[in-house]
Amino acid sequence: MDEVLTGTTLIACEYDGGVVVGTDSRTSGGSFIASRVTDKITPVTEHMSILRSGSAADTQAITDIAKYYIETYTVMEGEPVSIYRACNIMRKFLFNYRDQLSASIIVTGYDEKLKGQIYAIPLGGYSTRQHFTASGSGSTFVNGYLDSQWKPDMTFEQVKQLVLSAVYLATFRDGSSGGVIRLAIIDKDGTRRELYRPDANFPQIVADPPAYSPLPPHLKGQAN
């Protein structure tokens, strides 16, 4: 059987008080769209969420297993597991089973020690902390945009608009990304969720290209 290609758009960005994450909602298998309203922001704790790309079954299984370990350690030790430690729990599984899994995740969250944090774990199980990151097929269209627009000490509203516009631009160009835009804000108060429909409550930031005739205009008196 031929390989089935899948796609998605995941964006995460830190700000002074936490993290803003945004995703599209399309689940696809090649040219077939399996779902238009998938929730790719998976909560692990009140202050931690996972963004999933790759095989939906693989990422869901790894998230469920890691969530069990995180909850167990929290009960045994009597304090929440840090975002960095949770990242290493997931990284270990992704590394140990790197030949069997097709899973790339972004660990996002907030704790009192390091505040808002973003850890990217691509295929293979290598993790890095980043101020902002993009993953999935849509990321190839907006990495340069994020590099040019992100600046240190951005306010919450600036970061929120950057994440929204990056997801919107990715879905505009990437055929494997689409649907609604799901947003999550993670800070000291927990996680807040927002939903945006590009056709309803999102400002138009891309001009639709005009249609051109495929043939040159016919001039009067011109010979065929």
Side-chain angles (χ1 to χ4, degrees):
M1 296 178 62
D2 293 333
E3 179 183 6
V4 177
L5 301 177
T6 60
T8 188
T9 296
L10 311 176
I11 309 289
C13 189
E14 291 181 3
Y15 69 99
D16 185 51
V19 178
V20 179
V21 301
T23 73
D24 71 316
S25 64
R26 176 176 294 176
T27 297
S28 60
S31 59
F32 175 74
I33 299 175
S35 174
R36 296 179 295 174
V37 290
T38 303
D39 189 354
K40 302 175 184 178
I41 305 175
T42 304
V44 177
T45 69
E46 185 180 358
H47 295 86
M48 188 191 316
S49 291
I50 304 300
L51 309 184
R52 303 178 292 110
S53 64
S55 167
D58 290 350
T59 55
Q60 287 172 358
I62 290 297
T63 302
D64 289 342
I65 295 170
K67 186 175 180 179
Y68 167 79
Y69 275 81
I70 292 168
E71 291 175 349
T72 301
Y73 289 142
T74 299
V75 172
M76 292 175 58
E77 299 170 5
E79 61 180 11
V81 173
S82 68
I83 309 303
Y84 175 74
R85 185 179 175 189
C87 167
N88 280 300
I89 292 172
M90 298 185 192
R91 180 196 61 77
K92 181 180 179 181
F93 286 111
L94 291 172
F95 176 79
N96 289 343
Y97 299 98
R98 60 191 180 278
D99 294 329
Q100 289 82 34
L101 298 175
S102 175
S104 173
I105 64 175
I106 301 173
V107 182
T108 64
Y110 178 96
D111 57 40
E112 291 298 329
K113 184 176 181 180
L114 297 177
K115 310 302 181 184
Q117 298 155 70
I118 299 170
Y119 298 96
I121 311 179
L123 296 173
Y126 176 78
S127 65
T128 56
R129 182 178 178 182
Q130 302 183 19
H131 293 298
F132 63 93
T133 189
S135 182
S137 59
S139 65
T140 58
F141 297 92
V142 294
N143 274 320
Y145 174 74
L146 289 169
D147 287 337
S148 66
Q149 296 299 311
W150 185 87
K151 298 176 179 59
D153 302 322
M154 293 179 70
T155 66
F156 164 69
E157 285 298 331
Q158 289 174 326
V159 168
K160 179 179 176 180
Q161 290 304 314
L162 175 60
V163 172
L164 279 172
S165 59
V167 177
Y168 179 85
L169 290 169
T171 58
F172 183 79
R173 289 292 184 184
D174 180 29
S176 297
S177 301
V180 298
I181 298 175
R182 299 186 186 277
L183 208 69
I185 300 97
I186 309 172
D187 56 22
K188 60 182 180 62
D189 297 321
T191 302
R192 306 189 305 277
R193 301 290 297 268
E194 297 179 5
L195 178 70
Y196 292 85
R197 289 178 51 188
D199 63 334
N201 60 346
F202 195 76
Q204 183 75 13
I205 61 175
V206 177
D208 292 330
Y212 294 99
S213 171
L215 299 175
H218 180 71
L219 301 179
K220 187 178 181 179
Q222 184 179 14
N224 291 332

